[in-house]
Amino acid sequence: MSHRSGWHAVPEAAAVLGAMAPRPADLPAVGPLWRYGTTLPGAALAAARRSPHGPVLVDHRGLLDGEGLAREVEVAAARLTGELRVARADRGAAGGEPAPRIAVHARDHRGQVATVIAAGALGVDVVLIGPSVGTTRLRSILGRTRPDVVVHDDATAAGLAAALDPGTRHYDCSPRPDPAAVGGDPSGGPARPADRWRRRRVGTLHLLSSGTTHTPHATARPGVRRAQLATVLSLLAALGLRRGEPVLVTAPLSHGHGLSVFSAALVIGAPVVLGHGQAPERWAELIDTHRIGAVLGVPAQLLGLVDVLETYSPRPPLRRIAAGSAPLPVDLATRIEALYPGALVDFFGTSETGTATIATAADLRAAPGTVGRPATGVRLRIRDDGADVPDGVTGRLWLRSPWRAADTPGGFVATGDVGHLDGTGRLFLAGRADDVVVVGGHNVHLGEVRDWFLRQHEVSDAVVHAVPDERLGQVLHVEVSGVDIDDAALLGRARDELGSARAPRRVDTVGAGQAHTTPGHRGPGPSRHEGKSRVSQTEVPTIVRNDAEGQYEIWVGGTRAGIAAFHTEAAGTAFSHTVVDDEFAGQGLGSALARGALDDTVARGETIVPYCPFIVAYLRRHHDYDDSVHWPDPDQGR
């Protein structure tokens, strides 16, 4: 079935215009938009003129007003111009070469932001590389994109040194106490870029895909084109930002989700507080201190923030919480709704197609688990074997969006996701297409089957395996743990509700005190974990990070039940092995430990590097961590 959005451009445009609250004093802001168009430099420099003495940006160094941002951009432009001149002279560049290109590999702060804005205004293309990218992947990215200059900061300098080819020009954009004191043009010219602001072209911004299964590739984001305007207005209206009301962006600006909200805030006139890489406790302080009205983050970050806000008193009055980039767990959505009724909105999209669907708080209440309906101008299709499937039937997702990357072809694009549409056009995702197996000629998604088992009241954890079968090719086996599981009844419900293809042929109950049962064996025989310590329903496991020992620990009562060992390396936080003590085996504690350790790692802004087979298997089943994983080389190990 194909679904297109309703056309709401007029009311959405009215909502955005109301949020911007234009005034006659804003007229000077028209200049940058006329010169640079609806691009990031145009939006940022217009915001600086619109609020010359008011807050525009807040980073770890504090508040930056419009005049301060403009000054930072001028200094960054002078430095960049000189570095590019030297780099091209060293290489003997000729006049007919393509436009200059830089790579920016730094944390989120004013130095990074000013460099990206300055580059675009000077007609220099920019490849944004996240600060947590490991050495191997960084070397590959730089080899593919071939920048003239690499811009870094003090946090990324060490890792970059190991990835740079000899002779590649690079420099540090870390914020300094006095930006005017930073060295200007290394070729000897004055640090006055004003005469270079005359635009020939606006540089194109390139974002990297997540690259969880291959080397990340760059997608071009040159700015808003006329055909994209209705879709952009739809996204701006859903975000609900307001002029003068600060927004906290915890997702990195090197990611499309974070960059989109950053750009939207500049357009609306909402001061941006950069929070990526900081702890949830710090986010709560920022929300309180700056009277932040809206927060943007990935679900793992929002989970850490909710944990803190649930204990905060008095609770800061957030008006909007925007999630994206990864699946939003239903229980997290429920907790956010309980804290801030009506505040939650969830976005889904890809690097190539941009944001495609919007789930409002009403959608998430009425249809838990949905990622919403298509934004204005977007069309969705669910297909299987080349044909559209009816509503409610799972297939592969194709979408067409005017908000696609400039180098993504038009028409419908396969996103690599699997899901279904309901009768109202709401989209539900079941996982990735590469997690599909064929059972007797039927496509079956392992994540969808596992989700069904996890919805059953007696099941606390489930692992789905695809195993070879002579007749059907593959069949499913499921291991479950929980309380008072009746395996025959559970298997019968699965056959009734999932159908013969998706239902497992065998269920193994691995919780303590449960019977080990298969379709051919039903009885009260002893569990393979009988006699071992069992976690009662009142004993809630606790996950703690022990930096001294280099391990995450799961505690039950006063007993440590298992550990996930980690260490820090250039690529991020590396997990080497996970162990649950024998007396606690079979109770889902390993999954709880993995989930807690990975959530904390992401909340800290760190990259997950999985060497441990258990962590690898967990990540393969839980794609909400995809954007935070650096997969090591196959021949590497720890």
Side-chain angles (χ1 to χ4, degrees), residues 178-541:
D178 179 9
V182 178
D185 189 335
S187 66
R192 294 175 57 85
D195 58 337
R196 306 185 189 107
W197 284 104
R198 188 174 183 180
R199 186 188 65 165
R200 297 175 182 172
R201 65 182 291 272
V202 179
T204 299
L205 192 58
H206 295 266
L207 300 181
L208 297 174
S209 64
S210 59
T212 54
T213 57
H214 52 75
T215 300
H217 60 280
T219 58
R221 292 287 175 185
V224 179
R225 301 185 292 274
R226 183 179 303 173
Q228 299 172 331
L229 186 58
T231 305
V232 173
L233 287 173
S234 183
L235 304 176
L236 287 172
L239 273 174
L241 305 181
R242 293 177 180 172
R243 179 170 181 163
E245 182 184 73
V247 55
L248 172 64
V249 179
T250 63
L253 300 187
S254 55
H255 193 277
H257 191 40
L259 185 67
S260 295
V261 175
F262 176 73
S263 303
L266 293 173
V267 170
I268 298 296
V272 181
V273 181
L274 301 177
H276 181 249
Q278 302 182 49
E281 292 80 7
R282 176 57 180 160
W283 295 333
E285 292 176 7
L286 291 170
I287 291 170
D288 205 9
T289 301
H290 296 283
R291 298 186 179 183
I292 286 170
V295 174
L296 172 282
V298 301
Q301 294 171 326
L302 295 179
L303 176 62
L305 179 60
V306 166
D307 287 340
V308 174
L309 291 178
E310 283 176 336
T311 65
Y312 226 73
S313 182
R315 188 171 299 139
L318 284 174
R319 192 178 52 78
R320 175 72 80 231
I321 298 176
S325 297
L328 177 67
V330 173
D331 60 342
L332 176 58
T334 302
R335 291 171 65 187
I336 293 174
E337 176 68 17
L339 283 176
Y340 298 101
L344 182 61
V345 62
D346 186 30
F347 296 90
F348 163 73
T350 70
S351 299
E352 292 80 9
T353 61
T355 303
T357 66
I358 305 165
T360 65
D363 289 325
L364 296 168
R365 284 193 299 266
T370 185
V371 294
R373 296 182 175 91
T376 298
V378 176
R379 290 192 63 183
L380 305 180
R381 303 177 78 172
I382 303 295
R383 315 197 79 196
D384 190 17
D385 292 331
D388 290 353
V389 300
D391 289 339
V393 176
T394 299
R396 301 193 179 207
L397 173 64
W398 293 70
L399 65 85
R400 185 175 74 186
S401 171
W403 188 227
R404 68 185 188 277
D407 46 6
T408 299
F412 282 89
V413 175
T415 68
D417 297 285
V418 173
H420 73 273
L421 293 161
D422 68 10
T424 69
R426 293 191 187 102
L427 174 64
F428 295 79
L429 297 178
R432 297 289 296 173
D434 54 11
D435 203 14
V436 171
V437 299
V438 180
V439 178
H442 298 276
N443 290 338
V444 178
H445 189 265
L446 303 185
E448 192 174 26
V449 175
R450 181 175 185 271
D451 287 345
W452 183 90
F453 276 91
L454 291 178
R455 288 196 297 271
Q456 310 312 301
H457 66 88
E458 68 267 51
V459 175
S460 61
D461 199 9
V463 179
V464 182
H465 304 280
V467 298
D469 182 85
E470 287 186 7
R471 185 171 65 90
L472 299 175
Q474 296 182 91
V475 296
L476 304 186
H477 290 178
V478 180
E479 292 184 348
V480 296
S481 59
V483 177
D484 298 328
I485 295 177
D486 183 333
D487 302 273
L490 182 62
L491 193 58
R493 290 205 307 271
R495 287 172 174 165
D496 290 341
E497 296 185 27
L498 292 174
S500 59
R502 292 189 294 165
R505 269 42 178 186
R506 168 176 166 172
V507 172
D508 291 338
T509 306
V510 297
Q514 304 296 319
H516 175 73
T517 306
T518 68
H521 171 74
R522 173 75 178 99
S527 163
R528 61 189 182 189
H529 299 296
E530 184 176 37
K532 298 178 180 179
S533 296
R534 182 174 179 181
V535 180
S536 75
Q537 296 182 57
T538 60
E539 291 177 321
V540 179

Side-chain angles (χ1 to χ4, degrees), residues 157-177:
L160 179 66
L164 276 179
D165 289 334
T168 301
R169 193 141 189 106
H170 59 93
Y171 70 91
D172 192 327
C173 70
S174 299
R176 305 299 182 210

